Amino acid sequence: MKTSPDTHVPLEGYRLLPEDEMRDRARAFHETMRTRRSVRDFSDRPVDRAVIEACIRTAGTAPSGANHQPWFFACVGSPEKKREIREAAEAEERAFYAGKAGAEWLDALSPIGTDADKPYMETAPWLICIFAQRRGGADAGEDRKNYYIHESVGIATGLLIAACHEAGLATLVHTPNPMSFLNDLCNRPSTEKPFLILVAGHPADGAMVPKHALKKKVLSEIASFL
């Protein structure tokens, strides 16, 4: 790797921690994240916009292809706009559950108990509509090809979900297919592809989650050490 003072700066912010502290911090973070659940029963309790802004700033620290940061987060708090998004999403969901998904996919979803009705999209205080940008660049206003778009946006979304959980928010990933209606409703250009909708807010009192969702594969099933 070629470096020079013109193109690189010293690494800042890294701390070499003792191994026992590294283990403790890693395990503590796991204990925090293992309580994360996808919630479908949301409260209408407001969430300060500043909380959402801070979570999105965390998402914006994600690595990306050529550092082009090919993501955009349209944060919808307007009741009228949330209603429009819900209506458009439910139209696609009705077709999905009417057979578009196929029997195998619907069978896989059956333990979750979902259907075409998505009232939480209006109840929750925020819908974060995430877009993958086909063109852009590291600087605002650039019009260059972006690279590793879905990988980059996926990583940023994961950080966003973790940040929301750390802030005390419940979230739900929603992916109606197709989602092209989001471009119009969120005033985003055709060069951006809707990636997913992240519903964010507080769980309702007495919120329930599917037992099926509590199943998590053990370490030996998801990792190997060579």
Side-chain angles (χ1 to χ4, degrees):
M1 177 179 175
K2 296 180 179 179
T3 65
S4 78
D6 294 330
T7 61
H8 289 70
V9 296
L11 174 66
E12 294 182 351
Y14 172 76
R15 291 188 298 144
L16 180 61
L17 300 174
E19 286 196 2
D20 57 346
E21 184 176 351
M22 292 172 66
R23 286 191 297 269
D24 289 345
R25 290 166 67 99
R27 289 168 178 165
F29 186 68
H30 170 246
E31 287 301 308
T32 296
M33 293 309 301
R34 71 190 293 268
T35 64
R36 187 211 61 80
R37 298 285 179 263
S38 294
V39 170
R40 292 174 177 83
D41 295 324
F42 280 88
S43 165
D44 61 1
R45 179 182 172 187
V47 172
D48 192 335
R49 170 176 161 172
V51 176
I52 301 300
E53 289 179 350
C55 292
I56 289 174
R57 287 193 181 97
T58 295
T61 68
S64 61
N67 193 36
H68 279 199
Q69 305 156 64
W71 44 66
F72 190 88
F73 303 90
C75 304
V76 180
S78 158
E80 295 76 19
K81 187 64 69 176
K82 288 191 296 181
R83 183 176 301 111
E84 290 183 274
I85 292 174
R86 175 190 176 181
E87 290 172 351
E90 285 184 338
E92 299 297 344
E93 291 291 281
R94 284 192 290 272
F96 177 88
Y97 284 97
K100 180 180 177 181
E104 186 175 8
W105 186 202
L106 292 177
D107 181 66
L109 284 172
S110 60
I112 305 296
T114 55
D115 57 29
D117 295 326
K118 311 296 179 186
Y120 49 76
M121 298 187 75
E122 285 191 72
T123 307
W126 292 99
L127 301 180
I128 305 174
C129 301
I130 304 172
F131 293 83
Q133 298 178 322
R134 298 182 179 92
R135 300 192 64 81
D139 295 314
E142 285 191 289
D143 185 23
R144 304 171 63 186
K145 181 180 178 180
N146 287 333
Y147 302 91
Y148 297 105
I149 299 168
H150 293 287
E151 294 87 345
S152 301
V153 178
I155 296 168
T157 299
L159 287 180
L160 176 58
I161 292 171
C164 286
H165 185 70
E166 179 68 18
L169 297 178
T171 56
L172 175 68
V173 169
H174 184 47
T175 53
N177 185 26
M179 288 187 282
S180 54
F181 61 85
L182 286 176
N183 290 80
D184 290 334
L185 293 179
C186 296
N187 301 314
R188 301 310 303 164
S190 60
T191 53
E192 296 183 359
K193 182 178 181 181
F195 187 74
L196 58 80
I197 302 170
L198 188 69
V199 186
H202 295 284
D205 292 340
M208 306 286 285
V209 297
K211 288 183 179 180
H212 179 74
L214 304 183
K215 293 182 179 180
K216 300 299 178 185
K217 295 179 180 179
V218 299
L219 182 63
S220 61
E221 296 174 310
I222 64 173
S224 64
F225 298 84
L226 308 177

